[in-house]
Amino acid sequence: MPDVVVIGAGLIGLATAWRLASDGVQVAVCDPTPGAQTSNVAAGMLAPVTEVEFGEDDLLALNLASVKAWPAFAGELEELTGQAAGLHQTGTLSVAYDVDDMSVLRRVADYQSRLGLEVEVLSGRDARRREPMLATGVSGGVWVPGDHSVDNRQAVATLLRAVELSGVELIRRRVTRVITSGATAVGVQLDNGDTVHAGQIIAAAGPWTSQLGGIPEELRPPVRPVKGEVLRLRVPEAYRPALHHTVRATARGFSVYLVPRPGGELVVGATSTELGYDTRVLAGGVFALLRDARTVLPVTDELELVESIAGLRPATPDNAPVLGPSGLDRLLWATGHYRNGVLLTPVTAQVLAETVRTGTLPDLGKPFLAARFGH
Ligand code: GLY
């Protein structure tokens, strides 16, 4: 019997399992398709500054702690596995297409500055100095040196290797329900009817967490799926690198981001729609992403469209994750990371591992208790 069962082998579940196993804990992770859902679709931006929203101060503190934790986390993973963890510390350039877009960008930059975040407002010409392939019509930008990116697919592959090397048992099955004894979680039931008992359960099933059986209705975290369509383009040798940094653009009021990978891949994202668990890629989503990408980066027309894919962000009513105690003894949440799952991977794993080790949620995790939703 393992000490801990983790439900879900996305980045959050895998990293948490790895951290616990490094502490000597016996861990099993259950997932029918490890790493193949939201963590596979994401673009992998580490964007605490460029994705900051008015009034989300606790989330900003957690996001900043995690962007700071990424280099050591990646270094440890790489040392253990000999594989790249996919971290690229290149900074991010936000750009505005027309003057109205620039006034929005300026307002956000003022807010970021007031929060003490490092941002530098640039003219259109200075933005193009940093990224020469940007459209000549780009009216200005904001340079954000602290926002980076991770090749999420590389991170998943490396974490899968790390959990394997650390002795974590990977059970390729869907968990249908949490097994309880009174008000205590004691194990999970799998879709083939088997059960796995453990001293502690961690639910890291992203947008599927709220569908887990066996949990009283009033304790289910309010996590819902928010669909995002993402494109992967290939930059031909002749145009490489099309971009040096992550570029986020506001183009005629629409938002798009372009995340370059060293191998010539350019990830373009993302739409945001509330359609339940629907992961069909719609023509309108692809159209909108390409329309906005080519407005700011005209060479987009010359790139090969390699993949269009949709994933489900695990969203909560306040856009922040749900971490720690669930209201059932021995069941912990590690879910609801919405737009920040890749970013929040190291800090979530650290917070959950500490909670298991000490029995207490560390201070950093306290604003993210499910109890804030009246649970
Ligand atoms: N963080 C990017 C997204 O959710 O689209």
Side-chain angles (χ1 to χ4, degrees), residues 231-286:
L231 308 177
R232 283 178 163 77
L233 309 180
R234 171 145 293 277
V235 182
E237 292 284 353
Y239 295 118
R240 283 192 207 170
L243 293 176
H244 301 82
H245 316 283
T246 296
V247 168
R248 305 180 67 100
T250 311
R252 301 191 180 104
F254 297 103
S255 297
V256 68
Y257 50 77
L258 302 102
V259 186
R261 309 275 193 234
E265 184 178 80
L266 186 67
V267 185
V268 178
T271 58
S272 187
T273 37
E274 306 256 0
L275 288 172
Y277 291 89
D278 174 355
T279 52
R280 290 169 306 142
V281 175
L282 300 187
V286 176

Side-chain angles (χ1 to χ4, degrees), residues 99-295:
V99 286
D100 289 340
D101 296 327
M102 191 59 205
S103 67
V104 173
L105 208 58
R106 249 183 231 287
R107 204 162 60 86
V108 175
D110 285 347
Y111 178 60
Q112 290 161 332
S113 300
R114 281 202 303 281
L115 291 171
L117 303 170
E118 199 182 344
V119 293
E120 184 191 346
V121 177
L122 304 176
S123 65
R125 180 178 298 186
D126 284 341
R128 280 188 297 280
R129 272 205 190 104
R130 288 188 187 266
E131 289 294 0
M133 290 191 127
L134 286 175
T136 47
V138 163
S139 63
V142 174
W143 171 238
V144 183
D147 276 7
H148 303 301
S149 70
V150 167
D151 182 331
N152 44 300
R153 292 179 175 179
Q154 229 167 22
V156 165
T158 302
L159 269 167
L160 280 169
R161 180 75 183 130
V163 296
E164 186 189 341
L165 290 171
S166 310
V168 171
E169 185 189 359
L170 196 54
I171 301 171
R172 290 175 188 269
R173 285 278 167 195
R174 188 170 63 84
V175 169
T176 54
R177 69 182 183 101
V178 172
I179 303 167
T180 52
S181 168
T184 303
V186 295
V188 296
Q189 182 160 37
L190 308 176
D191 56 0
N192 62 352
D194 286 357
T195 56
V196 184
H197 285 79
Q200 183 86 59
I201 320 293
I202 298 178
W208 294 276
T209 310
S210 49
Q211 293 198 325
L212 284 172
I215 298 164
E217 191 60 39
E218 67 279 9
L219 298 182
R220 282 171 200 273
V223 179
R224 68 182 198 283
V226 175
K227 176 176 168 180
E229 286 148 319
V230 170
L231 308 177
R232 283 178 163 77
L233 309 180
R234 171 145 293 277
V235 182
E237 292 284 353
Y239 295 118
R240 283 192 207 170
L243 293 176
H244 301 82
H245 316 283
T246 296
V247 168
R248 305 180 67 100
T250 311
R252 301 191 180 104
F254 297 103
S255 297
V256 68
Y257 50 77
L258 302 102
V259 186
R261 309 275 193 234
E265 184 178 80
L266 186 67
V267 185
V268 178
T271 58
S272 187
T273 37
E274 306 256 0
L275 288 172
Y277 291 89
D278 174 355
T279 52
R280 290 169 306 142
V281 175
L282 300 187
V286 176
F287 168 77
L289 293 172
L290 290 176
R291 176 198 62 203
D292 300 334
R294 72 195 289 270
T295 299

